Structure formats: C-alpha cells, structure tokens
Amino acid sequence: MTKIYKMPVVVGLFGFLVCAMLLELAVGYGYVMHLVVPRPSDTIIAFPEVQADMDLIGNFFVTLGMTAAATALALLIGIPFGYFLYRNTRYGIAYEGWLAAAFAAPTVLLYPLFLVIFGRSHATLIAMGFIPGAIPIIIQTRQGLLGVSQTLQNVGRSFNVSERDMFWKILLPSAVPTIFTGIRIGVMYTLVNIVAIEYLIDFGGLGRIVSEMYFRFDTPGTYASIIAVIFVSVLFYWGFGRVEKWLRPV
Amino acid sequence: MSNLLKSIVIATAGVAVLAAPAFAADKIRMVNSTKVVFETEHPYSALENGFFKKQNLDVSIIHGSGGAASLQAVITGSQDVVYGNGVLGVLTAYAKGAPIRALGSNIRGVPDLYWYVKTDSPIKSFKDLKKGMEFAYSRPGSTTNLAALYIKNALKLEAKLVSVGGPSGSRTQLMSGQVATGWSVYPLNKGLIREGKIRVIGTGKEAAGLVGVTIRVIAANVNWLNKNRDAAKRMMVALEEGQKRTYNSMDQLKSYAKRWKLNFEDVKSAPMDTPYEVSTLLPVAGLDKINKIALETKKIKKLLTAAQLKEFVHPMGNKPN
C-alpha cells in the first residue's frame, strides 16, 4: 500500500529531475540562452545570494501572509455569499453571469484605483488578492450546493432534520469537493494577483524580488524567486488538500 | 521573331530575379523602449520623412513596455535594435554576457524629467522636501531613480524615495494625496501645468552629477551588428537626420503631437526642454560613472574593465577603435 502511495511521488520527482537535467544540458550547450533561462544548478546556487541580498525567506512569508489573509477574506465572504445565491434562486440566476464575467476580467489592471483607495499598503495587496479569490469560491459554492443529490436531501427530510443539520450534515459534505475546486482556483488567482501587484508597484514580498532581479538581469536570481512563489502555491495546494480530506475523509 | 521576343522576355525576367536581392532594402527590426517621450520620437521622424528609405533600409518600429522588456527583445534576437533604453540596464545586461552593444547616445543628463506637486502644496522647490516626505521615482534602477538619488544627495534632502510607477500612476497617487510629489517627463502632463492643477518644483537639471552623462542609448544585438554593420551605420545616419528634422521642423512637431494625441501647445517647447546639445548621438559619455553606479546599486558584481567599456560601445555602428 505504501509503495503504491509513494510511486507517483517518485515518478513525479524523477520526471522533474530529468527535465532539469535536460534543461541544464540545453543551456550548457547553448541551445537555450542563459540570459533567458538559467541552468537549474545556477538557480540553486542563486538562493543563498538572493537570501543574503533581498531576504528571500522573510519576503516568502510576506507573500504567504498576504495570500493567506486575502484567501481567508475570500472564504469568509465567498462561502456565505455562495450559499445565499443557492438559497435565493432569483439572485443566483441574476448574478452568476455577472460573477463569471467579473472572474474573466483582468482585475489586476485596476491597481491604480486600489492604490488611490488603500494607498501603497498591504491593504491594497489583500484587496486585490481577495477579488479574484472570492469569485470562484462564490460560484463553486453555489454550484456545489445545487449539485447535491435530491435523494440525499429527501433522506434528510424523512428524518425530519433541522435546516441547520441539513446544511452541516448533508449539503456541505456533499458540496465540499466542488467548493474546494473553487477554493483551489481562487487561491491560485489570489496569489497571481498579489505577486503581480508586488511586481508592479514594487511593494511587498516575492513579486518585488522578482522585479528587482529581473531589472538587474540576474536570471538565476529571478528564477530562484519565482521558485519561491511556486513554493507558496504548493503550500496552499497541499494545505487545502489536507483540509478537504479532513472535512470529507471518504 | 517570336523566338527572339521570348528570349528577351526570359532574359529580362532572369536579370530582374538575379538583381532583386541587390536592390532589396535591408530590414531592421527596431523596438522603441518608450513611446510619447520627445527623445524617442526621432525614429518616427526618420521613418515618416523617408530617411531610412534613402539609406536603403526597411525599418519596422514597435513600442516596448519599458526598458528591461525592450532590451530582452533585442538580447533574444527577436528585435535587432533598441532605441532609447536606459544605459544602466544595457550596461548591466552586457556585464552579464548579453550580446548587446551601444551604438550611440540618446540623451545625456536628465533635463527632460521634472517633479511636481499639487498647486495648493506648500512645497515650492526640492529644498522644501522635508524628512519623510515622498520623493517620487518610477522603478528601482530606472533613470528617474538615478536622477532622484542624485538630486537628493546634491541638495542633502532627507525626503524618502518612493517608487510610484510610470507618469500616469505617479499622477494618480499625487492627486489622491498618497505621495507628496509626482514625477513626469516633458511634454507629458504639461496640460496640467498649463491648467494650473500642478506646479513644477524642479527638473532633472538639478541632478548635477548626471550632467553630460549618457542616460539612454541606442543599442543593437551584437550578432546582428556583426552581420549587418553597414546597415547599422546607415541606420544611425538616418536617425541623425531624423533627429535634426524633429528639432528643426514645426511640421514634425505637429506630426508628433498628432501621433500621440498631445496638445500642440505642450509639444512646441519640447526642443527647448530637451536641448539638441544633450541629444546628439555622440559621444556616449560618462560610462565610468554609470559603471560605478551599476556597482553601487548591485546591478553588477565588479566594475567593468576599461577594455570591456571600450568593447561595449560601437560608435555610430563602427567597430570600437
């Protein structure tokens, strides 16, 4: 059983290492310009340098914190609002199209407006991360609840369960996979927006380091900081996976 | 008779086909690192007035989104020449092994940059910028960053340097009270000065340490340059001609205003705001200073040698002496 569980991880790591080695050779032999993509080994070597120069770890936690705050806000508002749209069909139908359109819009371009409202502060980052994060959560929460089997609901009613129990014991557990799909999409968009704004306004965590390294033409440093962004993403993806499993073990 | 006619037609066609490459204009792909700014106007002048064509060149011009992105396009070979790129970025890229060389200067010093406040602000000049007040610049390592740093040091200001992005972002943040100062470049935002909404508190001329130092350059991919040196030289001649036209022709200024939807009133004085003497394509001056700034701002890890600095500049497309 353990072997079956571990195999995909091993295969994944092996594939990753093979790709890294191929890239190392391609850059080494000049097939790929080192100023555009560095050798993976150079990127690894760049980590301590970026840490010493720009406090990579400290800024990792800044971006992590901003993303966590924006995601928490998106969850706090997104799930209840999604539930509201599920309970009120007319509102649900009326707003779903608007929400989908808003989700597709490049809200990151609105950053000057947010700068005016919130100033050059972490509040701007959180607000701009919150918007693209909340929308998929709202949509998927509504969709998840709409998709709950009628049979399950009828069984609940036959047991005369209260509205509260109906929600916590039947609706929510059934909708969890769909809601978490929305959360995963939301957290990715939140992270992308936050890093993009950090890059654009030269404020905050990892995005600012990516920008600084890029403008220095320090390609290994740029990629090292991009990898740090990927680690933030991996951490959230893994974390929400664990929470989902906890909420719905089967 | 018929056979003779056929032979003549075939022979003519053959000669035409063989001769075609000899007459075909040399293609050059140019990326202009900034649009609207006066000093990056000259390639359009050369294009519109047929100066490139006169040099048997077929030049295409696109706009880049800032220095680094434009330079990257030339480094990767997707464009041949970058016009008006910050010298600090180009020198840094060269130091990191990028195949890039400077062909000429675009501007020496930063006389076209200016800083402003809202009309009702108590700040009258740079000297009024007190401790903690925001002294705006665009991005770290940019020309405005450099200029702001030099002004701050020259005037011993205790103001705080703050990155606010481009001229429009800067204006938004100033007008909404987020920062104490805004920055711009002539002739942008001149309409606001004319309308009395903003007031200029100083210009880049006060960055005394940068006077006479090349700040923006025209640069080319060295692989392209080695294969197309003659075309590069002709391009520089055409650019010089285009530049003279921009400075000496009201019609060209009108065309400039029309292209970027600027008010002609704001554009008329552009040649005075950016005097011709600082815009001549040669010399590429003050690279020693830029070299030191690059080291101080951690763009490079060690100073470039004199030989490297010499190799970096190919004046007017010619090999370094």
Side-chain angles (χ1 to χ4, degrees):
Chain A
M1 189 66 190
T2 314
K3 274 185 183 172
I4 295 165
Y5 171 74
K6 279 189 176 173
M7 269 307 278
V9 177
V10 174
V11 170
L13 275 174
F14 180 72
F16 177 76
L17 284 174
V18 168
C19 288
M21 280 169 70
L22 286 174
L23 187 61
E24 182 85 23
L25 291 171
V27 180
Y29 282 104
Y31 293 113
V32 177
M33 194 184 260
H34 72 100
L35 277 162
V36 179
V37 182
R39 284 191 185 95
S41 55
D42 287 341
T43 305
I44 294 166
I45 293 166
F47 272 99
E49 282 179 32
V50 181
Q51 171 59 28
D53 192 15
M54 303 282 296
D55 186 18
L56 188 68
I57 295 171
N59 282 290
F60 171 86
F61 285 109
V62 170
T63 300
L64 186 79
M66 292 297 105
T67 311
T71 306
L73 200 61
L75 287 170
L76 276 174
I77 294 172
I79 293 177
F81 193 57
Y83 180 68
F84 168 80
L85 294 182
Y86 158 73
R87 288 299 300 259
N88 300 278
T89 314
R90 273 184 299 175
Y91 287 105
I93 294 167
Y95 286 114
E96 193 169 24
W98 287 101
L99 285 168
F103 184 54
T107 47
V108 70
L109 298 177
L110 291 173
Y111 81 92
L113 176 71
F114 283 78
L115 280 177
V116 170
I117 300 169
F118 297 105
R120 279 173 57 82
S121 64
H122 290 116
T124 295
L125 298 179
I126 294 171
M128 291 227 60
F130 157 75
I131 296 173
I135 297 171
I137 294 173
I138 296 168
I139 295 172
Q140 292 297 97
T141 301
R142 178 171 179 264
Q143 288 301 329
L145 293 169
L146 284 172
V148 176
S149 154
Q150 202 57 45
T151 313
L152 287 177
Q153 295 183 55
N154 288 341
V155 170
R157 284 193 195 98
S158 72
F159 282 100
N160 275 332
V161 295
S162 65
E163 279 293 312
R164 189 189 164 89
D165 283 347
M166 179 71 102
F167 176 77
W168 286 108
K169 291 178 177 165
I170 295 174
L171 290 176
L172 188 64
S174 303
V176 156
T178 316
I179 294 173
F180 269 79
T181 303
I183 293 172
R184 283 200 191 90
I185 297 170
V187 79
M188 292 309 121
Y189 275 87
T190 295
L191 178 62
V192 167
N193 252 27
I194 285 175
V195 173
I197 301 300
E198 286 174 343
Y199 182 97
L200 284 169
I201 67 169
D202 191 44
F203 182 86
L206 295 172
R208 192 173 62 88
I209 301 183
V210 174
S211 157
E212 177 67 26
M213 293 293 141
Y214 176 62
F215 284 101
R216 280 188 200 175
F217 287 92
D218 184 344
T219 324
T222 307
Y223 277 76
S225 36
I226 289 171
I227 288 172
V229 175
I230 294 170
F231 273 123
V232 176
S233 159
V234 168
L235 210 60
F236 274 103
Y237 204 82
W238 173 81
F240 279 116
R242 303 289 295 181
V243 175
E244 185 183 359
K245 225 167 203 178
W246 174 67
L247 281 171
R248 203 185 155 165
V250 184
Chain B
M1 185 65 186
S2 167
N3 281 346
L4 180 66
L5 194 65
K6 268 186 195 170
S7 304
I8 292 169
V9 169
I10 291 166
T12 312
V15 168
V17 167
L18 289 172
F23 292 117
D26 293 306
K27 286 186 190 300
I28 298 179
R29 299 164 300 172
M30 183 185 286
V31 53
N32 204 343
S33 69
T34 316
K35 54 185 179 182
V36 191
V37 176
F38 178 71
E39 77 218 32
T40 57
E41 180 59 14
H42 316 312
Y44 301 105
S45 178
L47 191 69
E48 284 171 4
N49 293 286
F51 301 143
F52 286 133
K53 211 172 172 183
K54 198 167 89 180
Q55 296 292 338
N56 198 29
L57 297 172
D58 176 9
V59 179
S60 63
I61 305 171
I62 60 165
H63 316 298
S65 52
S70 307
L71 188 55
Q72 197 74 281
V74 175
I75 290 169
T76 55
S78 64
Q79 297 290 309
D80 306 316
V81 176
V82 61
Y83 192 90
N85 210 289
V87 68
L88 198 55
V90 180
L91 190 93
T92 304
Y94 168 79
K96 303 269 162 76
I100 193 87
R101 300 292 183 271
L103 306 181
S105 175
N106 182 221
I107 190 166
R108 286 177 294 279
V110 284
D112 55 341
L113 291 179
Y114 69 94
W115 279 261
Y116 59 89
V117 291
K118 282 199 273 188
T119 313
D120 58 3
S121 165
I123 303 165
K124 305 287 178 204
S125 72
F126 284 137
K127 285 178 182 166
D128 295 330
L129 286 172
K130 295 195 174 70
K131 192 175 181 178
M133 283 181 165
E134 297 87 4
F135 189 3
Y137 68 92
S138 60
R139 297 188 66 91
S142 64
T143 309
T144 52
N145 185 189
L146 211 57
L149 200 65
Y150 267 78
I151 293 167
K152 187 182 164 179
N153 291 341
L155 302 177
K156 296 185 172 58
L157 303 177
E158 290 189 75
K160 180 173 65 177
L161 292 180
V162 173
S163 163
V164 292
S168 54
S170 172
R171 187 183 58 213
T172 309
Q173 287 176 67
L174 175 91
M175 293 312 227
S176 59
Q178 307 281 330
V179 288
T181 62
W183 78 271
S184 190
V185 56
Y186 290 125
L188 295 182
N189 291 327
K190 247 190 159 177
L192 294 176
I193 302 172
R194 206 165 13 87
E195 291 162 15
K197 290 180 179 164
I198 59 171
R199 181 163 39 75
V200 176
I201 58 164
T203 71
K205 286 173 189 164
E206 293 184 58
L210 295 178
V211 172
V213 175
T214 290
I215 295 296
R216 293 181 196 277
V217 288
I218 302 151
N221 182 302
V222 74
N223 301 321
W224 172 85
L225 183 62
N226 287 336
K227 288 179 196 155
N228 300 276
R229 195 164 292 277
D230 186 54
K233 288 181 199 170
R234 283 183 276 130
M235 177 196 72
M236 294 302 283
V237 171
L239 284 172
E240 196 165 37
E241 210 171 345
Q243 186 185 41
K244 282 179 183 158
R245 168 87 182 168
T246 322
Y247 272 92
N248 298 318
S249 160
M250 271 299 162
D251 285 345
Q252 194 57 42
L253 288 180
K254 279 179 187 161
S255 169
Y256 166 44
K258 193 177 168 192
R259 180 176 310 110
W260 304 115
K261 297 183 173 58
L262 298 169
N263 189 323
F264 183 60
E265 286 304 307
D266 302 335
V267 164
K268 266 197 305 195
S269 58
M272 271 89 80
D273 297 326
T274 312
Y276 181 72
E277 309 85 78
V278 301
S279 296
T280 52
L281 303 184
L282 289 177
V284 180
L287 283 184
D288 284 338
K289 183 165 266 182
I290 296 297
N291 197 14
K292 281 178 194 151
I293 293 169
L295 186 71
E296 282 163 15
T297 54
K298 296 181 182 174
K299 304 261 175 220
I300 54 176
K301 286 174 183 162
K302 58 177 183 180
L303 285 172
L304 292 179
T305 62
Q308 283 175 310
L309 289 177
K310 192 175 173 186
E311 188 205 42
F312 174 60
V313 183
H314 289 226
M316 298 298 276
N318 293 295
K319 282 184 179 172
N321 293 321

